[in-house]
């Protein structure tokens, strides 16, 4: 045991690690607090002390988590499927950037994202290396519960808990030990309502939200409460939400956004586009002026389609479009 | 040979994760095998066989599947060595929340799924608490928030374990898990090794085949719930002396 808790008094432990009191109470050991002068070892056996020591590790990790912010992630190229060197030798993505990843099925898009998630050290099939803020990262990014480099959003995801929106957000905030949870929950709720276009109340059960509302809540929640600096978006093409605004929210909350998509609007919304083939990053390109101009046209088309969808929903005919 | 014990509640994705993880080792030319333990029925062995994995199964029948596991584990290790395996995996039934098949100095994996509810990590006890690596599955169908809440609950129960997310269907995360398996210690025998968590004895009359209900038929390690019933009901708990086994007929 690293902290020698068995030698300390209850009072000393509470003073140093205030969260221990709640933890003991949660485990039905609240009465320990009534005898501040006694040594902790009078109440807890070696296993329990060991567990408490581990709990303090977790909490100290947690509380320190805000100190070292991830501001950039660098991928150093490895080798393609045929063993040749990866054409893109280095790619650095920064907080606030949106990067699109395109390439045919089987080309290695998922592997690239997995390399980032696993913080590869030349120990994956691609031989890539990933560094965080220019440094070889700690093992915690691979194995701990609260440091996950990548959060994921996809169309297949559903809420499965039987809770209201507010209870749900509270639970998430609690598990993240968020500071100022009420304010964060309000912010998530406001954003989700803006994104979805069809408002919902805080006491709505999460399982009865519409597809668009669920997606909106997931995005706003991930933006504000997720611990992961990188957000991976997979297939949210037809999510029924304002996609530009969704990206804006993630950027404002200082996320690095990676999107695997073949949707032209989403692809052109990215700051850069990584082209994958043969298991390797072939090229990184920025949208051209022409593409940017086309985006305006594509948006108009998209809005038109959305309007048609809305009219269908309202029972109208589409004789005039 | 490397030996890995895999536990986890029913249908949590143990077989899916083992198949995906072993695939990476098979690709690297390793010889792999699985021993599947279950209670009454399993067709996991067919799945393993179809994937070119040497397999044996053991059905515990009326016994606790984990007790059955520990009574047979040394023989399984010897079988694996005889087959010339590089990696042997045991998959347990995960039905007994009081027992855990994990052995000291043998890599211990617990597979648990995001759909099982946030109370599950606390409920399943030793098999989670005594694991070196906790694999969380079915992250593809729940929200990011639920994944984070679930992982933090797992962490609260087992603060030391490495936590990995693996998708049993696409195999996402299985390559990463496979690196931990190839890095495991060599096992030549488990003879003399110790369980990480002692298994409770089967000591009440029901363990021994009693089927009739009522205090008169309850012997051995029996504990009563405290339900504030009027006197006349026996409500005090605590182990009683183990009486003679009822071998049929009226007593
Ligand atoms: N969506 C999804 N389904 C999964 C995942 N992992 C496993 N499954 C599915 O869950 C079901 C149960 O998986 P198994 O691998 O058979 O579970 P098990 O723990 O081996 O089950 P028993 O051996 O019967 O206790 C199967 O239908 C799997 O396809 C996952 O990550 N995502
Ligand atoms: N550079 C590489 N070297 C070896 N194998 C690779 C490489 N890149 C990808 N692969 C493998 O190719 C397969 C297909 O890649 P995947 O990432 O699933 O493609 P996509 O997501 O684009 O459909 C996977 O098994 C992956 O591990
Ligand atoms: Mg893919
Ligand atoms: Mg199975
Ligand atoms: Zn048991
Ligand atoms: Zn019994």
């Amino acid at each position: 045991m690293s902290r020698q808790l068995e030698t300390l008094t209850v009072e000393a432990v509470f003073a140093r690690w205030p969260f221990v009191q709640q933890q003991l109470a949660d485990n039905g050991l609240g009465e320990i607090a009534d005898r501040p002068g006694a040594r902790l070892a009078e109440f807890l056996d070696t296993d329990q002390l060991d567990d408490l020591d581990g709990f303090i590790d977790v909490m100290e990790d947690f509380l320190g988590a805000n100190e070292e912010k991830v501001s950039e992630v660098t991928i150093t190229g490895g080798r393609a499927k045929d063993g040749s060197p990866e054409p893109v030798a280095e790619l650095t993505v920064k907080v606030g950037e949106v990067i699109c990843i395109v390439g045919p099925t089987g080309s290695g898009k998922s592997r690239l994202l997995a390399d980032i998630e696993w913080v590869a050290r030349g120990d994956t099939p691609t031989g890539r290396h990933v560094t965080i803020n220019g440094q070889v990262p700690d093992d915690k990014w691979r194995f701990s519960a609260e440091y996950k480099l990548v959060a994921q959003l996809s169309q297949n995801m559903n809420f499965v808990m039987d809770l209201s929106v507010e209870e749900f957000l509270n639970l998430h905030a609690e598990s993240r030990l968020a500071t100022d949870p009420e304010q964060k929950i309000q912010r998530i709720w406001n954003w989700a309502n803006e994104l979805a276009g069809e408002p919902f109340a805080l006491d709505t059960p999460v399982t009865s939200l519409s597809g668009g509302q669920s997606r909106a809540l997931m995005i706003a929640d991930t933006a504000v409460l997720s611990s992961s600096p990188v957000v991976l978006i997979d297939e949210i093409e037809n999510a029924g939400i304002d996609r530009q605004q969704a990206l804006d929210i993630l950027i404002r909350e200082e996320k690095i956004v990676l999107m695997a998509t073949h949707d032209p609007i989403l692809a052109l919304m990215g700051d850069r586009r990584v082209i994958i083939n043969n298991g390797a990053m072939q090229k990184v390109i920025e949208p051209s002026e022409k593409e940017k101009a086309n985006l305006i046209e594509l948006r108009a088309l998209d809005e038109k389609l959305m309007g048609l969808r809305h009219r269908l929903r309202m029972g109208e005919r589409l004789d005039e479009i | 040979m490397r030996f890995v014990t895999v536990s986890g509640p029913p249908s949590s994705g143990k077989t899916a994760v083992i198949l995906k993880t072993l695939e990476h080792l098979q690709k690297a030319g390793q010889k792999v095998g699985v021993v599947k333990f279950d209670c009454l029925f399993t067709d996991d062995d067919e799945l393993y066989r179809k994937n070119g994995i040497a397999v044996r199964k053991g059905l515990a029948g009326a016994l606790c599947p984990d007790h059955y596991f520990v009574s047979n584990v040394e023989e399984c290790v010897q079988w694996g060595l005889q087959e010339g395996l590089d990696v042997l995996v045991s998959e347990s039934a995960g039905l007994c929340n009081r027992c855990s098949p994990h052995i000291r100095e043998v890599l211990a994996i617990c597979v648990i799924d995001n759909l099982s509810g946030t109370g599950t990590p606390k409920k399943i006890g030793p098999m989670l608490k005594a694991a070196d690596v906790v694999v969380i599955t079915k992250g593809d169908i729940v929200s990011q928030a639920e994944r984070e809440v679930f992982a933090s609950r797992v962490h609260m129960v087992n603060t030391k374990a490495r936590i990995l997310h693996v998708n049993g269907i696409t195999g996402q995360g299985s390559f990463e898990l496979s690196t931990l398996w190839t890095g495991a210690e060599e096992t030549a025998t488990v003879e003399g090794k110790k369980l990480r968590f002692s298994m409770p004895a089967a000591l009440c009359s029901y363990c021994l085949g009693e089927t009739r209900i009522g205090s008169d038929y309850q012997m051995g390690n029996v504990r009563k719930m405290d339900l504030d019933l009027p006197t006349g009901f026996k409500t005090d708990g605590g182990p009683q002396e183990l009486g003679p086994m009822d071998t049929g007929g009226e007593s």
Side-chain angles (χ1 to χ4, degrees):
Chain A
M1 227 176 299
S2 45
R3 291 187 185 79
Q4 261 139 38
L5 293 175
E6 67 279 11
T7 64
L8 300 177
T9 64
V10 173
E11 202 169 24
V13 170
F14 286 1
R16 184 106 180 264
W17 302 285
F19 45 77
V20 167
Q21 186 161 359
Q22 186 60 45
Q23 170 72 1
L24 292 175
D26 287 349
N27 286 287
L29 297 164
E31 73 277 11
I32 291 180
D34 301 337
R35 289 186 46 206
R39 283 186 325 119
L40 211 53
E42 288 180 38
F43 307 99
L44 305 180
D45 63 28
T46 321
D47 273 354
Q48 287 171 314
L49 282 166
D50 213 31
D51 281 352
L52 188 61
D53 199 46
F55 175 77
I56 296 174
D57 279 343
V58 177
M59 296 297 284
E60 288 193 329
D61 260 7
F62 243 5
L63 299 171
N66 303 326
E67 287 164 22
E68 41 171 334
K69 253 199 146 52
V70 172
S71 56
E72 59 175 50
V73 173
T74 302
I75 302 139
T76 309
R79 52 186 177 267
K81 280 192 191 179
D82 58 14
S84 61
E86 185 157 23
V88 175
E90 193 176 288
L91 171 66
T92 297
V93 292
K94 291 189 158 57
V95 156
E97 262 195 304
V98 178
I99 309 286
C100 295
I101 296 164
V102 297
T105 305
S107 58
K109 299 184 295 295
S110 299
R111 188 63 250 167
L112 172 64
L113 297 166
D115 283 348
I116 296 172
E117 192 168 1
W118 179 240
V119 217
R121 293 178 198 157
D123 55 357
T124 68
T126 63
R128 290 188 183 110
H129 289 260
V130 173
T131 56
I132 298 174
N133 298 344
Q135 294 187 328
V136 177
D138 196 274
D139 247 9
K140 70 184 180 201
W141 292 104
R142 289 189 162 185
F143 298 118
S144 79
E146 41 280 328
Y147 293 88
K148 279 261 144 219
L149 202 50
V150 179
Q152 299 197 27
L153 289 167
S154 98
Q155 209 128 273
N156 309 326
M157 290 170 186
N158 293 295
F159 292 116
V160 294
M161 283 179 193
D162 192 13
L163 295 173
S164 72
V165 171
E166 187 169 18
E167 289 165 339
F168 179 80
L169 293 175
N170 256 318
L171 184 68
H172 191 195
E174 245 169 55
S175 87
R176 301 276 325 120
L177 299 175
T179 49
D180 205 357
E182 286 91 36
Q183 184 263 343
K184 287 195 165 109
I185 289 169
Q186 272 299 324
R187 189 152 96 232
I188 294 171
W189 181 57
N190 289 338
W191 268 342
N193 273 328
E194 269 179 52
L195 278 183
E198 25 168 3
F200 54 89
L202 271 173
D203 60 6
T204 316
V206 285
T207 47
S208 60
L209 297 173
S210 75
Q213 290 170 330
S214 296
R215 221 58 61 210
L217 182 60
M218 279 182 205
I219 290 170
D221 165 84
T222 299
V224 176
L225 277 177
S226 171
S227 54
S228 305
V230 179
V231 177
L232 163 62
I233 302 181
D234 203 10
E235 306 169 65
I236 52 160
E237 279 83 29
N238 312 308
I241 51 161
D242 185 331
R243 290 169 295 184
Q244 181 65 55
Q245 208 180 359
L247 292 181
D248 290 345
I249 288 174
L250 291 166
I251 291 164
R252 253 194 288 174
E253 292 292 332
E254 308 197 300
K255 301 290 184 187
I256 295 169
V257 182
L258 300 176
M259 280 195 288
T261 183
H262 297 139
D263 177 287
I265 296 186
L266 281 174
L268 296 185
M269 277 179 196
D271 298 307
R272 287 187 283 167
R273 206 144 90 223
V274 179
I275 295 159
I276 309 269
N277 213 340
N278 183 31
M281 300 185 281
Q282 303 293 337
K283 254 198 293 193
V284 180
I285 56 175
E286 286 177 23
S288 64
E289 287 309 314
K290 271 195 171 161
E291 281 181 331
K292 281 183 196 158
N294 286 340
L295 181 56
I296 297 171
E297 203 167 306
L298 285 171
R299 282 221 176 100
L301 273 176
D302 191 48
E303 254 163 51
K304 182 148 194 189
L305 273 176
M306 293 235 280
L308 293 178
R309 259 187 231 125
H310 180 73
R311 280 170 56 192
L312 268 181
R313 215 180 282 144
M314 294 292 122
E316 288 178 37
R317 285 188 172 281
L318 301 182
D319 290 335
E320 310 291 329
I321 59 169
Chain B
M1 183 181 70
R2 303 196 149 84
F3 180 36
V4 182
T5 55
V6 177
S7 67
S11 296
S12 57
K14 298 180 291 298
T15 302
V17 167
I18 294 169
L19 282 170
K20 290 290 178 191
T21 309
L22 290 182
E23 211 179 291
H24 298 284
L25 304 183
Q26 288 173 297
K27 262 193 227 156
Q30 302 217 16
K31 200 161 178 226
V32 298
V34 176
V35 184
K36 167 68 190 178
F37 287 88
D38 218 315
C39 289
L40 300 175
F41 175 78
T42 180
D43 45 20
D44 283 354
D45 50 326
E46 273 313 310
L47 275 173
Y48 289 123
R49 200 166 289 125
K50 247 191 253 158
N51 283 273
I53 295 167
V55 62
R56 283 288 182 275
K57 77 171 155 185
L59 296 177
L63 303 177
C64 160
D66 292 309
H67 281 70
Y68 181 71
F69 164 84
V70 75
S71 316
N72 286 283
V73 63
E74 172 60 11
E75 287 77 359
C76 292
V77 169
Q78 294 315 316
W79 168 77
L81 289 169
Q82 185 189 302
E83 294 281 307
L85 301 181
D86 296 301
V87 177
L88 171 66
V89 180
S90 74
E91 180 190 338
S92 7
L95 283 165
C96 181
N97 288 348
R98 179 58 188 79
C99 292
S100 144
H102 301 311
I103 300 167
R104 288 190 199 166
E105 301 149 57
V106 173
L107 183 63
I109 315 276
C110 178
V111 179
I112 177 168
D113 77 85
N114 271 300
L115 292 177
S116 62
T118 46
T120 300
K122 264 196 174 162
K123 263 187 263 174
I124 62 170
M127 69 174 132
L128 177 62
K129 220 174 145 61
D132 300 310
V133 179
V134 180
V135 172
I136 305 179
T137 59
K138 306 188 190 176
D140 52 325
I141 40 188
V142 304
S143 64
Q144 176 67 27
E146 285 156 304
R147 282 193 294 280
E148 290 184 13
V149 171
F150 194 78
S152 92
R153 293 293 159 94
V154 166
H155 201 178
M156 289 297 162
V157 174
N158 185 337
T159 54
K160 295 188 189 76
R162 296 173 152 197
I163 298 177
L164 279 176
H165 296 259
V166 176
N167 182 322
I169 291 180
T170 64
Q172 191 184 351
S174 62
F175 169 79
E176 290 73 8
L177 181 60
S178 77
T179 62
L180 297 182
W181 291 16
T182 42
E185 303 262 323
E186 290 274 340
T187 303
T189 174
V190 287
E191 188 90 52
K193 285 198 198 302
K194 286 192 151 175
L195 285 169
R196 297 187 184 203
F197 209 92
S198 66
M199 293 183 179
L203 276 184
C204 77
S205 44
Y206 297 106
C207 300
L208 301 172
E210 179 59 81
T211 54
R212 290 166 302 180
I213 297 170
S215 291
D216 285 349
Y217 308 109
Q218 296 168 354
M219 277 174 287
N221 202 350
V222 174
R223 267 205 316 168
K224 292 292 192 185
M225 293 163 69
D226 187 2
L227 295 172
D228 287 328
L229 294 179
T231 44
F233 283 91
K234 291 180 195 165
T235 57
D236 59 326
Q240 297 165 19
E241 225 176 289
L242 183 62
M245 201 174 141
D246 187 2
T247 48
E250 298 292 303
S251 54

